[in-house]
């Protein structure tokens, strides 16, 4: 059996529009009107319960009255290329005359007593915010290009880069990094060689000085020995003459 037509009047009827920026909570109102002469129970459901806060999300609308439902979209990072697939459903049924427990009425309701209306969500970003977003993106791209201008070839400085140019840039950066690493290693090896030569030079100087001192000590010892020998010979010769 087909479900009965929705008795509530929804405003808006088909879409819930949320206008950014989405850095804070964005609220959209959904008006539910009951034009009948009976009270109507309602529930508001969504396919993304963690993204929205709905107040009130259920209740009773008296005959001939209406209520406003606040649908609050929580903050999130807006992507212009993302299409929202979130949907809302307003479910309703005529309230029994002697109703005391609304939850019990929902549980005991028959499928042919339930009515529903579906709405889809639409995200809108103001034009000025879209321009600001594009300007910020262009500024970030320009700053990145300027920071790499000292190592990138002139060809890579174009405003739009295809996959081939990006690959060339990455290869160039990698080559420059390897070249810098090689120069650092060579510089380190040169410093180590200079230190070794200085230590070797100091050792050789110390050895030469030691040899010189030994030679001087040898000469001094020989001179003293010759003087003593001449003295002894002189004494002997003097005694023989006398």
């Amino acid at each position: 059996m087909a479900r009965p037509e929705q008795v509530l009047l929804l405003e808006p009827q088909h879409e819930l529009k949320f206008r950014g920026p989405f850095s804070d909570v964005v609220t959209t109102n959904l008006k539910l009107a009951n034009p009948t002469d009976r009270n109507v129970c309602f529930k508001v459901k969504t396919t993304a319960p963690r993204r929205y806060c709905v107040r009130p999300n259920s209740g009773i609308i008296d005959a001939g009255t209406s209520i406003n439902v606040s649908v609050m979209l929580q903050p999130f990072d807006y992507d212009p290329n993302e299409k929202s697939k979130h949907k809302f459903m307003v479910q309703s049924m005529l309230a029994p005359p002697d109703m005391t427990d609304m939850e019990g009425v929902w549980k005991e309701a028959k499928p042919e007593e339930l009515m529903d209306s579906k709405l889809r969500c639409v995200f809108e970003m103001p034009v000025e915010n879209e321009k600001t977003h594009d300007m910020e993106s262009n500024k970030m791209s320009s700053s990145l290009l300027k920071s790499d201008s000292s190592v990138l070839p002139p060809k890579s400085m174009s405003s739009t880069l295809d996959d081939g140019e990006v690959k060339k840039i990455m290869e160039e950066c990698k080559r420059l990094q390897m070249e810098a690493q090689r120069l650092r290693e060579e510089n380190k090896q040169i410093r180590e060689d200079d230190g070794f030569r200085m230590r070797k030079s100091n050792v050789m100087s110390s050895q030469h000085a030691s040899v010189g001192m030994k030679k001087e000590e040898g000469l001094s010892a020989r001179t003293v020995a010759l003087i003593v020998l001449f003295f002894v010979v002189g004494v002997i010769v003097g005694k023989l003459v006398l």
Side-chain angles (χ1 to χ4, degrees):
M1 181 177 179
R3 290 189 177 185
E5 187 177 353
Q6 175 70 267
V7 297
L8 295 178
L9 301 178
L10 279 62
E11 186 181 346
Q13 296 182 356
H14 306 293
E15 295 179 345
L16 290 177
K17 295 183 179 181
F18 298 90
R19 190 168 180 80
F22 302 102
S23 57
D24 202 352
V25 176
V26 180
T27 302
T28 294
N29 291 322
L30 171 63
K31 184 179 180 180
L32 303 178
N34 177 12
T36 69
D37 57 356
R38 293 182 58 180
N39 294 346
V40 176
C41 300
F42 76 93
K43 280 186 177 181
V44 181
K45 300 180 180 180
T46 176
T47 57
R50 295 184 179 180
R51 185 69 69 86
Y52 301 91
C53 181
V54 182
R55 292 293 182 273
N57 59 0
S58 62
I60 300 175
I61 305 175
D62 295 335
T65 64
S66 63
I67 65 169
N68 286 322
V69 177
S70 296
V71 182
M72 291 164 279
L73 173 63
Q74 303 305 303
F76 72 103
D77 294 330
Y78 172 72
D79 183 359
N81 299 320
E82 181 183 0
K83 300 294 184 181
S84 175
K85 297 181 180 180
H86 302 167
K87 292 181 176 64
F88 274 82
M89 182 177 71
V90 178
Q91 197 171 40
S92 64
M93 68 176 177
L94 297 174
D98 56 348
M99 185 185 67
T100 56
D101 181 12
M102 187 170 63
E103 289 299 324
V105 171
W106 282 108
K107 291 180 181 179
E108 296 174 1
K110 298 177 182 180
E112 60 269 18
E113 296 175 343
L114 300 177
M115 299 166 282
D116 59 61
S117 299
K118 295 180 175 63
L119 301 95
R120 69 187 187 94
C121 299
V122 177
F123 296 158
E124 294 181 346
M125 178 64 78
V127 176
E128 57 271 16
N129 286 335
E130 290 181 352
K131 291 181 178 179
T132 302
H133 183 271
D134 294 339
M135 289 176 64
E136 291 178 352
S137 299
N138 293 334
K139 287 180 180 178
M140 291 179 63
S141 300
S142 299
S143 62
L144 290 174
L145 290 172
K146 288 180 180 179
S147 63
D148 294 339
S149 61
S150 60
V151 296
L152 300 181
K155 184 179 179 181
S156 65
M157 297 300 294
S158 60
S159 58
T160 57
L161 301 176
D162 56 23
D163 294 340
E165 291 177 334
V166 172
K167 186 176 180 181
K168 290 180 181 180
I169 292 171
M170 297 300 294
E171 291 176 353
E172 182 68 13
C173 291
K174 185 176 181 181
R175 187 188 66 79
L176 291 174
Q177 290 176 354
M178 294 177 63
E179 182 69 16
Q181 180 66 23
R182 185 183 65 80
L183 292 175
R184 284 195 294 268
E185 292 178 356
E186 290 182 357
N187 190 27
K188 180 180 178 182
Q189 185 64 37
I190 290 173
R191 289 199 299 267
E192 291 178 354
D193 292 343
D194 289 343
F196 176 75
R197 284 196 294 269
M198 290 179 66
R199 290 193 298 271
K200 184 176 180 180
S201 177
N202 292 335
V203 170
M204 292 181 65
S205 298
S206 299
Q207 290 177 352
H208 288 309
S210 177
V211 171
M213 290 177 63
K214 288 181 179 179
K215 288 182 178 180
E216 291 179 357
E217 290 176 357
L219 291 174
S220 300
R222 289 179 182 178
T223 302
V224 172
L226 289 173
I227 294 172
V228 172
L229 179 60
F230 290 150
F231 177 76
V232 172
V233 171
V235 171
I236 294 174
V237 171
K239 286 183 177 180
L240 290 176
V241 173
L242 295 176

